[in-house]
Amino acid sequence: MAFDLAQYFPSLNHSVITLLLDRMGFADVVVNFFVNYLVGRFTKLFWDNQLSEPFPAAVGVGQGSALSPILSALYLAPVLWEFHTKRHNAQLISYVDDGMIIIQSKTWEENLVKLKSAYATVFHSRPGTGT
């Protein structure tokens, strides 16, 4: 089963990012850098050939930023870990915001049940909460 985490980069919560960095044991200087790096962010919406005025955003990292791939990987790490510890009968392959769950069973019916359960683990995981 392949899936895409739609709007992944624009949805990364700044408070969760810094909480994760702290819980992962990064040095205070690194955590404080990102606390300061992620403040004062603005975004614009583009809809029907119209560009909005900038407005403050407490979520999101720019896809063009050199730090975005690192932050997005750290944000997703708890989800990958939870899947690894709870789903011994499945494989999860992830590339940034695209994922693939691999299950093997003797029947389609058995496979479908296992896929639903495995996907639920990804869907219900919440970075920064431990669940």
Side-chain angles (χ1 to χ4, degrees), residues 6-130:
Q7 296 297 307
Y8 183 63
F9 284 96
S11 301
L12 300 184
N13 183 296
H14 297 169
S15 297
V16 172
I17 291 171
T18 55
L19 176 66
L20 286 171
L21 292 171
D22 185 54
R23 286 187 178 176
M24 289 176 173
F26 281 86
D28 288 344
V29 67
V30 173
V31 175
N32 290 333
F33 168 81
F34 281 103
V35 166
N36 292 317
Y37 174 78
L38 294 169
V39 298
R41 297 288 178 176
F42 289 82
T43 192
K44 297 178 185 180
L45 295 178
F46 187 74
W47 185 270
D48 196 25
N49 289 327
Q50 300 287 327
L51 186 62
S52 74
E53 293 296 318
F55 59 91
V59 297
V61 294
Q63 283 184 261
S65 166
L67 295 173
S68 294
I70 296 164
L71 292 174
S72 68
L74 291 170
Y75 200 88
L76 192 57
V79 175
L80 298 173
W81 179 252
E82 183 173 352
F83 189 92
H84 172 75
T85 59
K86 289 185 174 179
R87 298 291 164 203
H88 303 288
N89 64 340
Q91 297 284 330
L92 174 58
I93 300 170
S94 174
Y95 180 74
V96 188
D97 61 346
D98 298 313
M100 181 178 295
I101 298 171
I102 301 169
I103 301 273
Q104 290 181 323
S105 302
K106 294 183 181 203
T107 68
W108 286 103
E109 292 77 18
E110 185 181 347
N111 225 41
L112 183 57
V113 170
K114 289 180 181 179
L115 277 171
K116 283 182 179 181
S117 179
Y119 182 73
T121 301
V122 174
F123 184 78
H124 294 294
S125 294
R126 294 185 313 265
T129 64

